[in-house]
């Protein structure tokens, strides 16, 4: 028969195996299998009436500027690996199974893009391509990919005006910063938001506004979606809707001292935001930058325009609830400017909470240590305790006369154990109950018969302990030597059982890590 501590080890091994499989694999299947789906409308023939766009914001892959750690340090390398691994799992296990027609990145692909040397920037680019599988052209043969520039990719106007090489290397890899494309029967307008509020006479701001003006003068045949990395202006403390998990961020703009160029801003200025809405006339605005989910409504020409700020998909960027968005763009020939509400539909989807998964691992490890250290050597027989409880319940309903008969038909026998304690064992007799006057050999109910032998009784025995004034019972307490021996024995047992659990689950964990990291 398997020993109790072997059963406990097996149980803990299985618990760890199931926990690791969920945290490293099954949790990433939940968005596809249960919690998210493509938005659709029955008026547009369901899902078939739409082209599908997966929207990703602010992956912001970590580099030497991220955690104020020394470059190439072990701590930074570990943080980079697990952050990259999470996003790669999320992309391949949670987003790609939806089979999007288009993948849209809303900016901030890197963390310290403007401050990286060409060699460091190329290293970050290779990691970015590895995370999202962009190295394999075969994988994205049927999927179009579009990019927006973010402030962590190129910087703001104050930096760009002095370092034009940053723009050149970005455009060489990701394409133009201001452009337009069509998905289904919907037109998407991409603007470089970091330059909108730049110095009016500067080339960067002028180029962006010239692009916006050219879009505005074209006759609008299709509904438009405005794509900007930096969100449009909203009043301070404007509510962000039910999906917001962090405090509201208010407007903050930092200018340089001499040229008044933008060094940082949370939102596009009110003037630029209104101008964008008036010229482009979008039915929807998508933005990033904030790292948390936010939905607000803008008013332009007496029309309400909704803006969705999509949260980051990285668990290391201050958001405990990483997310992505599924957008359905109508492709039906019946679509026209009169039914714009049906043209573009969106749904926010949440990714696994990686921080909570790691907290779960830590709590399970603590529970494992405590259980292995304090679990009784003989185990815990829950079945025995349940049967004792049922037997006790039965006795509560027994007839009083029957209890009296059983008590009066019992005699007791003295038994000495190895530690010198005396116990009285009650045995029920098979002799009939008599009311003899001779009480020389017996006692009244509840007293013990002091004799060396007792009558043979039933198989059931009930043990009662008594303290007797005997030298054998006054044994000294457990010595410190025996206590130390007991503790060492427990620690050795815990180490052995923990080793078995580790031998089974550490290889499984490593296999799950590198299964997702290595290119298929």
């Amino acid at each position: 028969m398997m020993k109790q501590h072997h059963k406990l080890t097996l149980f803990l091994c299985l618990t760890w195996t199931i926990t690791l499989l969920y945290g490293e694999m099954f949790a990433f299947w939940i968005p596809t299998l249960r919690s998210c789906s493509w938005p659709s409308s029955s008026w547009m023939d369901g899902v078939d009436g739409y082209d599908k766009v997966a929207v990703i914001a602010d992956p912001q892959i970590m580099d030497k500027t991220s955690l104020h750690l020394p470059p190439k340090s072990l701590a930074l390398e570990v943080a980079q690996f697990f952050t990259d691994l999470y996003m790669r799992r999320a992309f391949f296990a949670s987003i790609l199974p939806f089979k999007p027609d288009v993948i849209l990145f809303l900016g901030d692909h890197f963390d310290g893009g403007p401050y990286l040397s060409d060699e460091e920037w190329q290293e970050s680019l290779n990691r970015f391509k590895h995370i999202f599988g962009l190295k394999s052209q075969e994988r994205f043969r049927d999927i179009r990919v579009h990019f927006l520039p973010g402030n962590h990719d190129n910087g703001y106007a104050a930096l760009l005006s002095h370092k034009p090489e940053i723009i050149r290397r970005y455009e060489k890899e990701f394409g133009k910063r201001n452009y337009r494309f069509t998905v289904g029967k919907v037109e998407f307008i991409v603007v470089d938001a970091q330059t909108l509020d730049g110095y009016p006479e500067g080339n960067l701001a002028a180029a962006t506004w010239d692009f916006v003006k050219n879009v505005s003068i074209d006759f609008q045949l299709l509904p438009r979606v405005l794509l900007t990395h930096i969100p449009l202006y909203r009043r301070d403390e404007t509510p962000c809707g039910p999906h917001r998990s962090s405090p509201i961020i208010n407007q903050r703009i930092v200018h340089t001292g001499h040229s008044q160029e933008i060094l940082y801003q949370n939102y596009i200025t009110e003037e630029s935001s209104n101008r964008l809405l008036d010229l482009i006339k979008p039915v929807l605005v998508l933005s990033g930058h904030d790292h948390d989910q936010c939905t607000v409504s803008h008013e332009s020409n007496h029309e309400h325009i909704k803006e969705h700020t999509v949260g980051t998909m990285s668990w290391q960027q201050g958001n405990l609830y990483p997310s992505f968005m599924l957008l359905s763009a109508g492709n039906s020939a019946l679509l026209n400017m009169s039914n714009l509400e049906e043209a573009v539909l969106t749904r926010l989807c949440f990714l696994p909470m990686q921080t909570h998964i790691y907290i779960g691992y830590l709590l399970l490890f603590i529970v494992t240590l405590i259980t292995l250290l304090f679990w009784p050597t003989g185990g815990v027989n829950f079945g025995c305790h349940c049967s004792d409880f049922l037997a006790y319940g039965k006795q509560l309903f027994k007839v009083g006369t029957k209890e009296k008969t059983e008590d009066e038909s019992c005699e007791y026998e003295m038994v000495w154990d190895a530690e010198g304690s005396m116990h009285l064992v009650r045995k029920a007799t098979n002799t009939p109950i008599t009311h003899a006057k001779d009480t020389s050999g017996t006692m009244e109910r509840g007293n013990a018969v002091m004799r060396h032998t007792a009558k043979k009784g039933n198989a059931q025995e009930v043990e009662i302990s008594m303290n007797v004034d005997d030298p054998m019972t006054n044994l000294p307490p457990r010595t410190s030597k025996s206590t130390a021996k007991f503790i060492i024995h427990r620690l050795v047992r815990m180490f052995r059982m923990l080793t078995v659990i580790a031998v089974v689950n550490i290889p499984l964990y490593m296999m799950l890590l590198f299964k997702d990291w290595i290119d298929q």
Side-chain angles (χ1 to χ4, degrees):
M1 182 179 292
M2 186 181 295
K3 295 183 179 180
Q4 289 291 337
H5 64 275
H6 291 165
K7 293 181 180 179
L8 176 62
T9 304
L10 178 60
F11 173 77
L12 290 174
C13 274
L14 292 175
T15 301
W16 270 103
T17 299
I18 294 173
T19 302
L20 291 176
L21 287 174
Y22 173 80
E24 304 300 317
M25 185 165 62
F26 298 151
F28 293 87
W29 297 354
I30 292 177
T32 307
L33 297 177
R34 191 184 67 180
S35 65
C36 213
S37 61
W38 289 104
S40 62
S41 170
S42 58
W43 186 85
M44 295 284 292
D45 300 325
V47 178
D48 295 334
Y50 293 90
D51 283 3
K52 306 167 187 175
V53 183
V55 184
I56 299 171
D58 298 90
Q60 209 161 318
I61 62 174
M62 301 174 68
D63 51 45
K64 67 178 184 181
T65 66
S66 302
L67 298 176
H68 305 289
L69 294 172
K72 303 298 182 180
S73 64
L74 178 61
L76 181 59
E77 294 288 339
V78 171
Q80 287 178 350
F81 173 77
F82 283 98
T83 306
D84 293 358
L85 178 65
Y86 173 86
M87 290 190 288
R88 181 174 169 86
R89 280 175 171 167
F91 183 73
F92 282 98
S94 301
I95 299 177
L96 276 191
F98 283 105
K99 298 180 179 179
D101 302 308
V102 178
I103 296 176
L104 175 61
F105 289 90
L106 290 179
D108 277 1
H109 320 316
F110 310 119
D111 195 6
Y115 308 102
L116 300 178
S117 65
D118 289 342
E119 181 181 355
E120 292 168 336
W121 192 85
Q122 188 63 44
E123 179 184 350
S124 293
L125 176 64
N126 291 334
R127 286 171 50 209
F128 179 82
K129 290 183 175 181
H130 176 72
I131 291 170
F132 298 105
L134 298 175
K135 291 183 177 181
S136 174
Q137 298 297 328
E138 183 69 20
R139 178 172 287 146
F140 291 97
R141 181 176 54 186
D142 300 324
I143 302 177
R144 295 158 54 193
V145 183
H146 294 280
F147 304 93
L148 274 70
N151 60 294
H152 283 269
D153 300 321
N154 296 332
Y156 292 93
L159 182 64
L160 292 175
S161 60
H162 296 89
K163 292 187 175 181
E165 66 274 10
I166 295 175
I167 294 179
R168 285 196 295 269
R169 72 182 182 186
Y170 175 88
E171 291 185 335
K172 180 181 178 182
E173 188 61 44
F174 296 103
K176 294 181 179 180
R177 295 172 293 114
N178 299 292
Y179 65 102
R180 58 209 290 189
F181 63 93
T182 302
V183 179
K185 299 296 182 179
V186 178
E187 186 178 27
F188 290 77
I189 310 299
V190 178
V191 296
D192 184 4
Q194 290 71 242
T195 62
L196 288 172
D197 291 314
Y199 189 62
E201 303 300 327
N203 294 331
L204 296 175
T208 300
W209 283 113
D210 287 344
F211 168 77
V212 173
K213 291 176 183 177
N214 291 332
V215 171
S216 67
I217 62 178
D218 289 343
F219 185 73
Q220 186 173 354
L221 297 174
L222 302 176
R224 291 171 176 165
V225 175
L226 173 61
L227 303 177
T228 165
H229 175 71
I230 302 176
L232 302 185
Y233 173 81
R234 72 281 312 265
R235 293 185 179 91
D236 289 352
E237 305 301 331
T238 299
C240 276
H243 298 301
R244 182 81 177 191
S245 60
S246 62
I248 302 297
I249 297 177
N250 294 324
Q251 175 67 297
R252 180 169 70 93
I253 300 180
V254 180
H255 296 272
T256 59
H258 55 285
S259 63
Q260 291 298 302
E261 287 276 25
I262 297 289
L263 280 175
Y264 182 83
Q265 62 184 145
N266 287 331
Y267 305 110
I268 299 173
T269 60
E270 183 177 9
E271 179 184 358
S272 297
S273 298
N274 292 334
R275 189 179 177 191
L276 269 178
L277 294 176
D278 291 341
L279 291 174
I280 295 180
K281 298 179 176 63
V283 298
L284 178 70
V285 180
L286 294 182
S287 58
H289 186 61
D290 195 6
H291 289 197
D292 205 347
Q293 296 73 227
C294 187
T295 300
V296 298
S297 181
H298 304 283
E299 187 172 348
S300 176
N301 297 325
H302 306 290
E303 294 184 359
H304 292 280
I305 302 170
K306 185 176 291 186
E307 177 183 0
H308 290 300
T309 299
V310 183
T312 175
M313 74 168 299
S314 172
W315 70 282
Q316 279 281 10
Q317 296 301 326
N319 189 350
L320 293 177
Y321 306 93
S323 63
F324 64 98
M325 178 170 280
L326 298 179
L327 183 148
S328 297
N331 59 17
S332 174
L334 300 176
L335 184 64
N336 54 57
M337 299 299 294
S338 64
N339 51 4
L340 298 180
E341 292 184 358
E342 304 290 340
V344 183
L345 303 177
T346 61
R347 179 164 294 159
L348 186 65
C349 304
F350 288 94
L351 294 167
M353 295 172 285
Q354 186 66 66
T355 304
H356 293 183
I357 291 174
Y358 287 151
I359 291 175
Y361 291 165
L362 178 61
L363 293 177
L364 181 57
F365 180 71
I366 294 173
V367 170
T368 300
L369 290 181
I370 294 175
T371 304
L372 293 178
L373 186 60
F374 295 103
W375 192 263
T377 304
V380 178
N381 193 340
F382 294 100
C384 178
H385 288 290
C386 291
S387 61
D388 290 346
F389 178 77
L390 293 175
Y392 177 73
K394 280 181 167 183
Q395 292 178 3
L396 292 179
F397 294 96
K398 285 183 179 179
V399 183
T401 55
K402 183 175 181 181
E403 290 183 351
K404 181 176 179 181
T405 302
E406 289 179 353
D407 288 339
E408 291 180 349
S409 63
C410 292
E411 294 183 351
Y412 299 88
E413 178 181 25
M414 291 185 297
V415 177
W416 301 86
D417 61 15
E419 296 182 354
S421 298
M422 188 194 77
H423 306 274
L424 292 180
V425 178
R426 186 182 70 181
K427 294 191 175 183
T429 63
N430 292 328
T431 58
I433 301 173
T434 60
H435 300 278
K437 296 181 180 179
D438 186 9
T439 58
S440 59
T442 60
M443 300 292 293
E444 291 294 331
R445 173 185 174 186
N447 295 327
V449 178
M450 307 297 290
R451 56 181 67 176
H452 294 289
T453 60
K455 296 180 181 180
K456 294 182 178 180
N458 295 332
Q460 182 183 4
E461 296 184 356
V462 181
E463 183 175 324
I464 304 174
S465 299
M466 292 181 58
N467 292 327
V468 182
D469 188 11
D470 189 273
M472 295 292 293
T473 62
N474 298 326
L475 295 176
R478 187 189 297 267
T479 64
S480 59
K481 184 177 180 180
S482 59
T483 302
K485 184 177 180 181
F486 173 79
I487 294 175
I488 292 174
H489 173 73
R490 280 299 177 97
L491 291 175
V492 171
R493 188 190 71 170
M494 181 188 72
F495 178 76
R496 289 176 178 173
M497 298 167 73
L498 195 62
T499 301
V500 173
I501 296 173
V503 166
V504 173
N505 287 284
I506 288 180
L508 172 65
Y509 180 68
M510 300 303 293
M511 181 188 71
L512 292 172
L513 287 185
F514 292 101
K515 173 186 73 70
D516 296 323
W517 184 248
I518 299 174
D519 281 322
Q520 301 294 326

